[in-house]
Amino acid sequence: MAAIASSLVSYGSDSDSENESTSVTGVEKVDPTNPDATAHLKPLSSVPTMSVAVLNSAPEVAVKEAVETGTHLDPSLKEVTFNPTFETLFAPEFGPVNPFKSKQMSAPRNMLSGYAEPAHLNDFMFEQQRRTFSTYGYALDPSVDTHQVSNTGYIGAVDEAEKNKGLTVFETGQKKTEKRKKIKGGEAGEIDNFLGPWAKYIDEKDGAKPSEEQQKELDEITAKRQKKGRNEEEAPAEEKTILHVKDMYDYQGRSYLHVPQDVGINLRSVDAPDKCYLPKKQIHVWTGHTKGVSAIRLFPSSGHLLLSSSMDCKIKLWEVYGERRCIRTFIGHSKAVRDICYNNSGTQFLSAAYDRYLKLWDTETGQCISRFTNRKVPYCVKFNPDEEKQSLFVAGMSDKKIVQWDVRTGEVVQEYDRHLGAVNTITFVDENRRFVSTSDDKSLRVWEWDIPVDFKYIAEPSMHSMPAVTLSPNGKWLACQSMDNQILIFGAQNRFRLNKKKVFKGHMVAGYACQVDFSPDMSYVVSGDADGKLNIWDWKTTKLYQRIKAHDKVCISALWHPHETSKVITCGWDGQIKLWD
């Protein structure tokens, strides 16, 4: 700007030299040598000076360093994560003060209407005073500083309080009940002296009580009755058997245990059928049980005889071929029979019943060989399938134990006590060296024989109780009937892992221990259900192939004959056993 001004000034002096004091642009030249010209630029010494106070209107703000070192503390914080100093805790708040905030607004509040101080008052005392006030109009004065306080220490209807002597609702009610008790017949402590409502009509001379001799006689009779009843409960039921066929032996002296040769199929064969087919129709019904059938077992290896246990306390033996007659009835339990199990040869079998007895029977003669009990209900029983250990068997009990007995001595030789609920099933696996047990505790445990500590414990939060377990014909899989309406498959070798690809669904079994079985060629899985239906699944695809209405009530068990291609035997709680082909 100075350069432009000087150029303009020089231009004006060249054009008009006569007038040097004015320029073309109207800018007046100032002569620095002239004192009058610069006088207006100097401050007047005669004007009095005035000092102005410096006002800092910016609020006090915590600097970054102070915040980082933790000296600033937010007053709205509910908890402090470090140990502040006294100066930090009581330092003034940062920021401007709200000029419109009243004293009432600045007061601390812990509720909408203000600040409520904590009062230590029993809930019962509060409810007592509230009810007393609502009933009688008075209550104890909660505070001596209140303006409505009277000299008596009550608020509300003070006259009423003096009249009732300050009694509360509960206290006045208590007095009434005491009065009522006295009217009705005395206190509870005097119950021994209470002779009944007709006591006042009894003549004291005649006397209502028996004499000492009569009382002694009565006591003896009562003791005998109690002892007799207890002994009847503890004593085992009398065993007997009924033979239903005319001749026990045929013309060659062979009993019904002999495997028949003229049934059109080799029952002595070890090999399973090459191909199995779905059963289509019912071909026979075995009737004879008066109550529901609880379990059925086919004769070992051949399957020419069928053993059934029932809730009518009886066990029956049936023919599978020929006339399909009832051969023998075994009677010896006083309560429903829960489970049965053959030995390897089929000459003997065990029965477990709700009368807390396990009994060993001779299949041919029907005699009860021995009985076992530990005063608990046996839920399942199994012979050890090993040929060398046929004298040993195990039973799952209601007291969470698995008890091992020796048939020769009749004594308990081992107890497996690890389950947390009643034991439902016992299944031998791995060439009979181990056995698997399931329980109401929703777990599956694997045991080494004769070692009372489980070496494998399977329990998942999603698992349900599995009251029926069956080993597959090839010995590789365990089919477990789960209480969430599905059949789960566990590996029966080494790791006992759940096969998640093999889950069989579509039936309703919750609450019932419906027995599962496999077809001999491992093509199908069969099971009954709560609706009395027979369900058949494909093993490979787990698809539900067929549903047959088999029984009017629960179909509790289904067995596929080991030597037949399509024969399935079912039993139900309607008391019937049916053969399907």
Side-chain angles (χ1 to χ4, degrees), residues 96-167:
V97 179
N98 185 1
F100 303 104
K101 193 172 184 180
S102 64
K103 187 176 180 182
Q104 184 180 1
M105 290 170 63
S106 60
R109 290 200 304 173
N110 61 0
M111 56 186 297
L112 192 64
S113 59
Y115 185 81
E117 293 184 358
H120 301 282
L121 183 65
N122 191 339
D123 291 338
F124 173 75
M125 291 297 295
F126 178 83
E127 190 65 17
Q128 184 188 49
Q129 295 302 319
R130 186 190 70 78
R131 290 193 183 187
T132 305
F133 189 82
S134 61
T135 305
Y136 299 121
Y138 65 87
L140 282 173
D141 183 14
S143 172
V144 293
D145 298 332
T146 311
H147 296 294
Q148 297 177 357
V149 176
S150 65
N151 297 329
T152 56
Y154 293 94
I155 56 172
V158 181
D159 298 336
E160 191 71 20
E162 291 176 353
K163 182 181 176 182
N164 291 341
K165 297 182 181 178
L167 291 176

Side-chain angles (χ1 to χ4, degrees), residues 51-72:
S51 61
V52 179
V54 178
L55 179 65
N56 185 8
S57 60
E60 188 178 354
V61 179
V63 294
K64 181 182 178 185
E65 291 77 11
V67 174
E68 287 179 349
T69 53
T71 55
H72 170 65

